[in-house]
Amino acid sequence: MFNIEEFLTKVNKTKASDIHLKVGKQPSLRISGNIVKIDEPVITKEDFENILKTMLYGDLADKIKARSDIDFTYEIPNVSRYRVNYCKELGYPKLTLRTIPYQIPTLEELSLPDSLEIFTGYNNGIVLITGATSSGKSTTIASLIEIINKEKQKHIITIEDPIEFLYTDKKSLITQRGVGVDVNSFSDGIKYALRQDPDIILVGEIRDRDTMESALNAAETGHLVFSTIHTNSASQTINRMLGLFDDSTRGFIRDRFAKVLRGTIAQKLIPTIENKGRGGLVPALEIMASTPAIVDYIQKNQLEDIEMLIKRGGYQNMVSMNASIFKLYKGGIISREEALNASDDEVELNQLMRGIYHGSQNPVDNLL
């Protein structure tokens, strides 16, 4: 009989980031960015029923009967925590587990620049960590929150779906609330958080207009808000945020958003040469810090000017995605093929590789 706890304990030694389990298939793992099918027996319907009996708690069994998709967390003490998604494929159940380590990694351990600490020093505003699914957004944001936890006397409220990393109070007081368990929605969580004496609010994801409106209100009333969104650049992020609102209010929202935005961090994970990075993957970042020029460009909807300002390299700690990718390539950490695959502008990256720079300096000279 398939024992899920024994299986996950064994898998934990492989450093897999994700585990896929479905009826009629062998288990699959994601290791160093690649899907690997492992030599285990095919999971039967009875196996899967036993897996669910072991993993489900509270009213999750009833929720699964009523819904086709649901997210929850699962934990094996002294092994790992997992963010779990239950869904159906061709009528058959499937589980996808994302590994969540107990120890929150530092910026250094994540191969992220120390300069990101600047975003932990604000007293108010919004900081957005962006990127595709599985690009490491949650881990990066947890690392930033842990810096505050270690160094500042703050009250931090997290609103997550589901709760991923578990924090231990250090200098800060941390309250963690799960959507569907402790609060009804992200927007409700923010609304009620404002009555709970917070300094900092972590919103797991901005998905809709109500959440964005609530985040703006929190930032405008003197709170620092961290959140994530599925976009690949600063300009995409600004467009996505403003696109949540209709034409009649967009100008007003653009002005509010410009004034409270403190910066964006767009992140991609790229496979390394010979597994030189964490888990065979290394992050490339586009970093945009809010400056008077950035505020002006957002208010005037001049997003191309924002992109050009970021590409200047080294200005106000800002870095373009291509400059970050090029540095990894130049340092022998990633291959040319992986660098080009990760780039959204292969022509520009090819020019960087050939030593052709736009402007007066190499944009990598002052790269963080």
Side-chain angles (χ1 to χ4, degrees):
M1 184 178 296
F2 188 92
N3 185 306
I4 185 63
E5 292 194 351
E6 290 180 2
F7 172 75
L8 291 176
T9 300
K10 182 168 60 176
V11 164
N12 189 54
K13 299 176 183 177
T14 70
K15 305 300 181 183
S17 62
D18 299 87
I19 301 102
H20 296 265
L21 305 172
K22 56 183 176 180
V23 173
K25 300 288 185 179
Q26 292 176 299
S28 296
L29 312 177
R30 185 176 293 277
I31 301 175
S32 299
N34 297 313
I35 291 292
V36 178
K37 296 180 180 179
I38 59 176
D39 186 17
E40 289 280 342
V42 167
I43 296 174
T44 66
K45 182 178 179 181
E46 290 74 20
D47 288 333
F48 207 93
E49 288 174 353
N50 286 322
I51 291 170
L52 292 180
K53 285 179 183 178
T54 301
M55 298 182 72
L56 299 182
Y57 52 89
D59 61 352
L60 283 174
D62 293 331
K63 289 183 178 180
I64 279 179
K65 291 177 182 178
R67 295 163 57 181
S68 297
D69 288 270
I70 190 168
D71 294 319
F72 60 96
T73 54
Y74 178 66
E75 179 177 2
I76 302 178
N78 302 317
V79 177
S80 185
R81 283 172 51 81
Y82 302 90
R83 185 186 72 198
V84 186
N85 173 262
Y86 169 91
C87 69
K88 287 187 176 181
E89 176 191 5
L90 300 174
Y92 291 97
K94 181 179 185 295
L95 289 172
T96 304
L97 291 78
R98 166 64 54 82
T99 303
I100 305 170
Y102 283 114
Q103 188 69 30
I104 298 173
T106 64
L107 294 179
E108 181 180 5
E109 290 168 340
L110 294 173
S111 300
L112 294 171
D114 291 342
S115 60
L116 294 187
E117 287 194 34
I118 190 175
F119 295 114
T120 68
Y122 292 108
N123 293 318
N124 55 61
I126 296 177
V127 177
L128 296 172
I129 292 82
T130 77
T133 301
S134 301
S135 61
K137 299 185 298 296
S138 296
T139 309
T140 297
I141 208 168
S143 182
L144 294 175
I145 292 295
E146 185 65 359
I147 289 171
I148 299 171
N149 185 26
K150 290 177 178 179
E151 297 180 356
K152 300 174 185 285
Q153 295 173 295
K154 302 288 185 180
H155 182 201
I156 303 166
I157 298 178
T158 78
I159 306 158
E160 304 169 74
D161 183 20
I163 292 173
E164 297 190 22
F165 289 93
L166 292 179
Y167 299 91
T168 300
D169 290 355
K170 296 183 174 67
K171 282 192 174 181
S172 291
L173 169 67
I174 301 184
T175 302
Q176 295 189 254
R177 310 189 74 198
V179 174
V181 179
D182 306 304
V183 294
N184 291 326
S185 65
F186 282 121
S187 57
D188 275 358
I190 301 170
K191 172 184 174 182
Y192 292 112
L194 296 180
R195 304 172 187 175
Q196 295 157 10
D197 186 36
D199 299 291
I200 295 158
I201 303 173
L202 186 163
V203 183
E205 184 181 350
I206 294 179
R207 300 173 179 169
D208 52 45
R209 174 174 175 165
D210 287 344
T211 304
M212 182 60 193
E213 187 83 57
S214 298
L216 281 173
N217 289 337
E220 290 171 334
T221 52
H223 306 88
L224 179 59
V225 178
F226 287 91
S227 191
T228 71
I229 186 170
H230 295 294
T231 53
N232 291 324
S233 68
S235 58
Q236 285 185 19
T237 300
I238 295 165
N239 270 328
R240 180 70 60 82
M241 292 294 94
L242 297 177
L244 297 172
F245 299 86
D246 53 43
D247 292 341
S248 62
T249 59
R250 197 165 296 158
F252 175 59
I253 294 298
R254 179 182 290 111
D255 185 66
R256 292 175 64 193
F257 183 59
K259 290 176 180 177
V260 299
L261 183 65
R262 298 294 174 254
T264 63
I265 304 165
Q267 183 166 313
K268 293 182 179 182
L269 291 178
I270 306 175
T272 63
I273 298 172
E274 298 178 354
N275 294 335
K276 290 185 178 180
R278 176 181 60 90
L281 300 169
V282 67
L285 305 177
E286 178 205 77
I287 304 173
M288 186 200 77
S290 184
T291 65
I294 292 291
V295 172
D296 186 56
Y297 290 150
I298 295 174
Q299 291 174 327
K300 294 178 179 177
N301 200 29
Q302 295 176 302
L303 301 188
E304 289 185 0
D305 290 328
I306 291 176
E307 292 179 0
M308 291 306 300
L309 194 60
I310 295 172
K311 288 179 180 180
R312 289 181 185 176
Y315 176 73
Q316 291 289 333
N317 289 336
M318 289 193 273
V319 176
S320 73
M321 181 62 73
N322 262 352
S324 181
I325 292 172
F326 177 61
K327 182 183 180 184
L328 294 172
Y329 163 72
K330 190 176 181 182
I333 297 173
I334 63 175
S335 68
R336 178 185 178 86
E337 179 183 7
E338 292 293 354
L340 292 171
N341 285 340
S343 176
D344 293 327
D345 189 342
E346 290 186 27
V347 173
E348 182 191 63
L349 184 56
N350 264 312
Q351 290 177 333
L352 288 174
M353 291 174 173
R354 299 202 311 269
I356 302 172
Y357 313 121
H358 298 287
S360 60
Q361 66 174 7
N362 180 345
V364 183
D365 286 341
N366 297 316
L367 191 61
L368 302 175

